């Protein structure tokens, strides 16, 4: 068994030396790198000396290795304290404590090499031999190897309390690693002097602990410790299940066969553990992510609350109407849900190239005035354009050169934002989300950064689509403007041509009474026609003044039918009303009457004599009106006729301004009706079958 422990200790020494190399290389530019690397090298020496306790040798040589091991232990603890103080950048504050630790170690080394501490060797159950101490000096030795470590632990705790972000998490991880190391080493060495023989099982943990130290000191972006803790607990629970299952089966076997510990039972146990392990290997990938998520939500529900809120915001972006609303919602949601000090959203000005603040949350007026825009040459902008990945201030010392890190840190400090997330679209930086410190002083974990990157990408896409929609809208407005201009020209040109002709004839026929009478009637008629076109055009173009009151749909229909009775009687049209309920709507009554009168009049014009019109009311679900209406309910007013129907080629142009199939029509009636209904938050839809009739549906939101 000692041979097994011997190679296990050498493996520990190798892992520790590798950790020392990584720590030095990744942190060589700061004081903690060389100091902690030196402490780990001394710890490697201690492990090599400890390995020699497991090898049979003569007493003089055993005493040499005993003094070697103890020297490394004495020297290692002041070095560890010194590196802890350097880690929190407090060497000056704790310089007297550091000096006292080195003096204490120096005094013990002198006593050791004078032969006053180690006086011989003795046998040990789990080793070939162990040193025999002088009890008079053993207590000061124990105080030295424990007290200075405890002081270092206090220094780390104080550093954690004062730090934020990445540094705070790194110190938390390092404190955990130090505590595990402290417990492991002291449970191996200290009890032996009091004849408490504990198997050195801690040697199985030390390689993982050293690898963890190397990870903490070398990694630029640390994993979320909530995830780590949840995984550790989950794996511990899994191990417990395997252990309990194995013990239960062994107990059953003992009851069945009292002489259990024979080769057959051992083989059975091994096969059982392999089978359970294989079963878990197949099962874990299926339920582990869900169980892990459940564990994290139970232990750290607050964090997953804001992550869920941001994920929900990503899904809702497509429903937000304007760019300003998109950016404002993102800024306020990130600020409130993540509990950060500030959020700034910069978007690139396509013409100037600069990045301007388009939305913010958490800034006062003075701060906002100082942060209006960033030039294209800004270090942060340049870095994000090149890297196209999230910029984290705490990661800079491990990702870029010192000069570049200083430039970027100065820019980020000016923004008071330790994290900047780029909005990349078509390989270009179109904007960025700059985020302040968390109120909890925690770092931005990997899960946070990934979610923010996803959010930034979705915001960039949402902005792109809104801009495309705006361009299409402006294009359509220009098309409508051209159509309207052409319609006005056509409607005005004919009357003006008549007026011009009569004006040219007027000098020659001034004394003709019949000409004067005809001229005056024609001019008045044509001027009235021009006036009507202009008034209708203005009604279509100007913002409508809507006076809203609660009205019942049935009453509006009754009044509209009364107003069109003369037209109905002139063509002997049969109009029937069908009321399915009596929905209440908030509308401008006169404007909705105008819509219904226009629809009924159009139906009358389309019908031959003795045709039929049906006007009905009722309710309609939102999804029947169109997407984006949520749970809003709509009242339906329907005008249907049994006329010839509308040809398919005409149907798509019904609501175009100045489009008409009537000889005397202006082509603005349906356009104005559609505008009125849209101003009320509703919509007009139409269905028609040639030869069977047409139905117009007026959908108005209920109050």
């Amino acid at each position: 068994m000692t041979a097994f422990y011997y190679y296990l200790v050498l493996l520990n020494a190798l892992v520790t030396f590798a950790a020392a190399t990584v720590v030095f290389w990744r942190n060589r530019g700061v004081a903690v790198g060389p100091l902690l690397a030196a402490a780990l090298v001394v710890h490697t020496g201690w492990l090599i000396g400890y390995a020699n306790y497991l090898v049979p040798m003569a007493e003089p040589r055993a005493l040499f290795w005993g003094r070697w091991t103890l020297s490394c232990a004495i020297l290692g603890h002041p070095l560890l304290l010194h590196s802890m103080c350097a880690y929190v950048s407090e060497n000056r504050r704790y310089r007297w404590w550091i000096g006292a630790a080195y003096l204490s170690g120096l005094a013990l080394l002198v006593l050791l090499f004078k032969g006053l501490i180690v006086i011989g060797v003795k046998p040990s159950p789990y080793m070939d031999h162990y040193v025999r101490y002088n009890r008079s000096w053993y207590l000061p030795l124990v105080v030295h190897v424990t007290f200075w470590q405890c002081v270092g632990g206090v220094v780390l705790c104080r550093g954690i309390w004062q730090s934020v972000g990445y540094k705070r998490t790194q110190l938390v991880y390092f404190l955990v690693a130090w505590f595990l190391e402290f417990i492991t080493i002291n449970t191996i060495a200290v009890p032996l002097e009091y004849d408490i023989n504990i198997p050195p099982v801690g040697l199985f943990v030390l390689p993982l602990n050293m690898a963890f130290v190397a990870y903490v000191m070398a990694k630029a972006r640390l994993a979320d410790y909530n995830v780590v803790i949840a995984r550790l607990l989950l794996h511990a629970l899994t191990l417990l299940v395997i252990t309990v299952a194995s013990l239960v089966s062994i107990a059953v076997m003992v009851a069945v066969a009292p002489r259990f510990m024979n080769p057959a039972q051992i083989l059975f146990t091994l096969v059982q553990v392999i089978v359970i392990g294989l079963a878990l290997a197949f099962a874990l990938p299926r339920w582990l992510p869900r169980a892990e998520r459940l564990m994290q939500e139970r232990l750290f529900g607050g964090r997953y609350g804001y992550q869920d809120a941001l994920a929900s915001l990503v899904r809702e972006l497509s429903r937000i109407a304007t760019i300003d609303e998109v950016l404002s919602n993102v800024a306020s949601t990130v600020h409130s849900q993540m509990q950060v000090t500030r959020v700034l959203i910069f978007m690139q000005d396509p013409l100037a190239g600069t990045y301007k603040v388009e939305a913010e949350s958490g800034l006062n007026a003075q701060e906002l005035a100082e942060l209006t825009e960033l030039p294209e040459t800004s270090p942060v902008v340049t870095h994000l354009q090149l890297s196209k990945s999230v910029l984290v201030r705490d990661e800079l010392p491990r990702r870029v050169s010192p000069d570049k890190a200083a430039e970027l840190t100065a820019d980020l400090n000016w923004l008071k934002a330790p994290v900047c997330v780029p909005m990349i679209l078509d390989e270009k930086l179109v904007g960025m989300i700059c985020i302040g410190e968390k109120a909890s002083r925690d770092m931005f974990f990997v899960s946070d950064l990934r979610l923010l990157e996803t959010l930034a990408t979705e915001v960039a896409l949402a902005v792109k689509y809104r801009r495309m929609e705006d361009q299409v809208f402006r294009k359509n407005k220009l098309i409508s403007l051209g159509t309207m201009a052409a319609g006005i020209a056509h409607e005005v040109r004919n009357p003006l041509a008549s007026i011009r002709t009569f004006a040219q004839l007027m000098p020659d026929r001034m004394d003709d009474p019949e000409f004067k009478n005809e001229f005056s009637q024609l001019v008045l008629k044509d001027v009235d026609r021009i006036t009507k076109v202009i008034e209708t055009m203005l009604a279509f173009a100007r913002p409508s003044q809507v006076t809203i009151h609660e009205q019942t749909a049935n009453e509006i229909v009754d009044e509209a039918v009364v107003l069109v009775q003369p037209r109905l009687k002139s063509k002997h049209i049969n109009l029937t009303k069908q009321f399915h309920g009596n929905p209440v709507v908030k509308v401008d009554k006169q404007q909705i009457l105008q819509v219904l009168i226009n629809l009924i009049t159009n139906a009358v014009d389309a019908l031959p004599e003795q045709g039929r019109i049906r006007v009905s009311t009722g309710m309609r679900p939102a999804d029947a009106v169109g997407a984006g209406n949520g749970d809003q309910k709509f009242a339906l007013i329907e005008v249907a006729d049994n006329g010839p129907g509308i040809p398919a080629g005409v149907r798509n142009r019904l609501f175009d301004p100045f489009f008409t199939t009537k000889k005397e029509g202006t082509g603005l009636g349906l356009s104005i009706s559609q505008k009125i209904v849209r101003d009320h938050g509703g919509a007009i839809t139409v269905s028609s079958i040639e030869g069977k009739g047409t139905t117009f549906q007026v959908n108005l939101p209920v109050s």
Side-chain angles (χ1 to χ4, degrees):
M1 195 66 176
T2 55
F4 172 77
Y5 281 126
Y6 174 75
Y7 290 110
L8 181 60
V9 174
L10 290 182
L11 175 63
N12 275 273
L14 181 63
V15 172
T16 304
F17 185 76
T21 304
V22 171
V23 168
F24 175 76
W25 183 254
R26 294 290 288 176
N27 300 272
R28 59 190 182 278
V30 290
V32 68
L35 285 170
L36 185 56
L40 292 175
V41 169
V42 171
H43 186 58
T44 303
W46 180 86
L47 287 166
I48 293 172
Y50 186 85
N52 281 277
Y53 289 151
L54 302 164
V55 179
M57 60 183 65
E59 184 171 340
R61 189 180 172 198
L63 284 172
F64 167 79
W65 283 110
R67 292 190 181 98
W68 167 275
T69 305
L70 194 56
S71 298
C72 292
I74 292 170
L75 181 60
H77 292 85
L79 275 172
L80 184 60
L81 172 63
H82 196 173
S83 62
M84 288 176 171
C85 295
Y87 205 175
V88 297
S89 304
E90 294 284 7
N91 274 343
R92 184 174 180 81
R93 175 188 290 271
Y94 298 109
R95 61 186 182 278
W96 297 110
W97 290 91
I98 296 169
Y102 281 117
L103 287 175
S104 170
L106 181 61
L108 288 171
L109 285 174
V110 171
L111 293 172
L112 174 64
F113 285 100
K114 283 186 173 292
L116 297 177
I117 296 179
V118 175
I119 57 177
V121 295
K122 63 179 182 179
S124 176
Y126 297 102
M127 295 179 284
D128 181 79
H129 59 272
Y130 192 63
V131 294
R132 179 181 290 112
Y133 291 101
N134 181 349
R135 285 299 180 90
S136 301
W137 293 104
Y138 186 69
L139 183 61
L141 176 65
V142 172
V143 170
H144 174 81
V145 298
T146 56
F147 177 74
W148 298 118
Q149 285 204 66
C150 292
V151 172
V154 172
V155 169
L156 286 179
C157 290
R158 188 173 183 274
I160 291 169
W161 178 255
Q162 295 177 337
S163 300
V164 296
Y166 172 87
K167 187 70 174 180
R168 187 169 185 262
T169 302
Q170 195 181 39
L171 289 173
V172 169
Y173 278 166
F174 191 83
L175 180 67
V176 172
W178 162 78
F179 182 74
L180 292 175
E181 183 81 4
F182 177 79
I183 295 297
T184 302
I185 297 301
N186 284 288
T187 55
I188 291 174
V190 174
L192 290 172
E193 182 59 23
Y194 297 97
D195 297 325
I196 301 173
N197 299 304
I198 301 175
V201 291
L203 294 171
F204 291 97
V205 180
L206 277 179
L208 298 176
N209 202 38
M210 287 297 104
F212 186 56
V213 170
Y215 166 79
V216 170
M217 297 300 297
K219 192 71 173 175
R221 183 174 294 176
L222 298 175
D224 187 339
Y225 54 72
N226 294 348
V227 176
V228 174
I229 293 171
R231 285 181 180 173
L232 287 175
L233 289 176
L234 190 59
H235 291 311
L237 182 62
T238 305
L239 183 60
L240 180 63
V241 169
I242 295 174
T243 304
V244 170
S246 301
L247 290 175
V248 168
S249 61
I250 291 172
V252 171
M253 289 301 299
V254 169
V256 174
R259 301 180 66 183
F260 174 70
M261 294 306 294
N262 58 48
Q265 276 78 35
I266 293 174
L267 180 61
F268 170 78
T269 304
L270 290 175
V271 171
Q272 176 182 252
V273 171
I274 290 171
V275 171
I276 294 175
L278 287 173
L280 287 173
F282 283 104
L284 279 177
R286 297 176 181 273
W287 63 267
L288 182 60
R290 183 176 177 183
E292 188 175 301
R293 170 76 177 186
L294 182 63
M295 185 76 73
Q296 291 167 6
E297 288 177 349
R298 291 291 180 269
L299 295 175
F300 312 104
R303 173 169 302 164
Y304 285 91
Y306 76 66
Q307 290 188 353
D308 287 342
L310 293 185
S312 177
L313 175 62
V314 169
R315 294 190 294 270
E316 293 293 325
L317 286 179
S318 61
R319 300 185 182 181
I320 302 176
T322 66
I323 293 175
D324 289 341
E325 289 178 356
V326 168
L327 299 180
S328 178
N329 280 354
V330 169
S332 59
T333 302
V334 172
H335 182 214
S336 61
Q337 293 295 332
M338 294 193 77
Q339 292 293 296
V340 294
T341 55
R342 59 171 56 189
V343 176
L344 287 161
I345 300 181
F346 289 86
M347 298 300 295
Q348 187 180 35
D349 185 329
L351 297 178
T354 57
Y355 292 80
K356 297 182 178 180
V357 177
E358 298 292 343
E360 57 81 25
S361 186
L363 280 77
N364 57 42
Q366 182 178 354
E367 290 174 326
L368 187 58
E370 296 173 356
L371 297 171
T372 53
E373 64 179 30
L374 285 172
E376 281 185 294
T377 56
S378 164
V380 167
V381 172
T382 304
H383 178 85
L384 291 176
Q385 180 66 66
L386 293 174
S387 69
K388 297 179 175 59
S389 62
V390 62
L391 174 61
V392 183
R393 184 179 60 195
D394 292 332
E395 297 177 2
L396 291 175
R398 291 170 177 77
R399 292 190 179 273
V400 298
S401 65
D403 292 341
K404 186 70 173 176
E407 288 182 357
L408 290 170
T409 300
D411 237 17
L412 293 172
N413 288 340
W414 177 65
L415 293 170
K416 295 181 181 178
V419 172
C420 282
V421 188
M423 297 182 197
I424 303 296
L425 202 59
D426 300 327
E427 296 300 313
K428 293 182 179 179
L429 181 70
V430 298
M432 56 187 175
I433 305 174
C434 298
I435 303 171
E437 300 280 4
K438 288 185 179 180
S440 63
R441 301 189 299 167
D442 282 341
M443 68 178 284
F444 288 85
F445 296 104
V446 175
S447 55
D448 297 334
L449 299 178
R450 286 175 180 169
L451 186 56
L452 288 170
E453 284 180 318
T454 302
L455 177 62
T457 301
E458 293 297 326
V459 171
L461 289 171
V463 169
K464 177 183 178 180
Y465 292 145
R466 297 303 178 280
R467 286 175 176 169
M468 291 173 62
E469 288 173 355
D470 290 344
Q471 290 174 355
V472 170
F473 178 72
R474 285 195 295 270
K475 183 178 179 180
N476 288 338
K477 286 191 71 174
L478 289 174
I479 293 173
S480 297
L481 181 61
T483 304
M484 291 168 65
I488 292 172
H490 176 74
E491 292 295 327
V492 172
R493 182 175 55 195
N494 290 337
L496 286 179
S498 299
I499 295 172
R500 184 174 183 274
T501 301
F502 274 90
Q504 288 174 335
L505 294 173
M506 185 179 294
D508 297 331
R509 304 181 64 180
M510 182 69 69
D511 298 329
D512 186 347
E514 185 179 350
F515 174 80
K516 286 183 179 181
N517 183 48
E518 185 180 355
F519 174 77
S520 62
Q521 290 180 0
L522 181 71
V523 168
L524 287 174
K525 180 181 177 182
D526 286 343
V527 168
D528 287 342
R529 181 172 177 81
I530 293 172
T531 302
K532 181 181 178 183
V533 169
I534 292 173
E535 288 177 348
T536 309
M537 168 68 183
L538 290 175
F540 175 77
R542 76 165 71 98
S544 57
Q545 302 296 320
V546 181
T547 305
I548 299 295
H549 295 288
E550 283 194 354
Q551 307 286 340
T552 61
N554 296 357
E555 290 178 1
I556 298 176
V557 168
D558 286 336
E559 190 166 338
V561 170
V562 169
L563 293 173
V564 296
Q565 278 299 327
R567 295 292 304 274
L568 295 171
K569 289 180 179 179
S570 67
K571 294 185 71 173
H572 307 288
I573 301 297
N574 177 30
L575 188 147
T576 59
K577 294 180 286 186
Q578 295 180 0
F579 295 152
H580 305 286
N582 191 13
V584 178
V585 291
K586 284 186 176 180
V587 296
D588 185 313
K589 182 179 178 181
Q590 295 305 317
Q591 290 194 359
I592 300 302
L593 276 174
Q594 180 183 345
V595 171
L596 293 181
I597 291 170
N598 183 57
L599 294 178
I600 296 173
T601 301
N602 286 347
V604 171
D605 292 340
L607 286 170
E609 289 197 4
Q610 298 183 347
R612 295 192 305 274
I613 296 176
R614 174 179 51 82
V615 183
S616 60
T617 62
M619 295 294 295
R620 196 173 199 186
D623 55 1
V625 178
N629 293 302
D631 297 328
Q632 176 68 59
K633 294 181 179 179
F634 286 81
L636 172 65
I637 304 176
E638 194 170 76
V639 178
D641 64 60
N642 67 337
I646 302 172
V650 173
R651 220 170 291 160
N652 293 333
R653 299 188 60 192
L654 282 178
F655 298 101
D656 289 352
F658 295 104
F659 175 77
T660 181
T661 57
K662 301 177 184 179
K663 292 181 180 180
E664 300 299 325
T666 63
L668 287 173
L670 285 177
S671 298
I672 293 173
S673 297
Q674 184 187 55
K675 183 175 185 296
I676 290 172
V677 174
R678 283 181 176 175
D679 288 342
H680 284 79
I684 295 182
T685 56
V686 60
S687 59
S688 181
I689 300 175
E690 290 189 55
K692 293 188 177 181
T694 301
T695 302
F696 281 87
Q697 299 97 10
V698 179
N699 305 278
L700 296 168
V702 298
S703 58

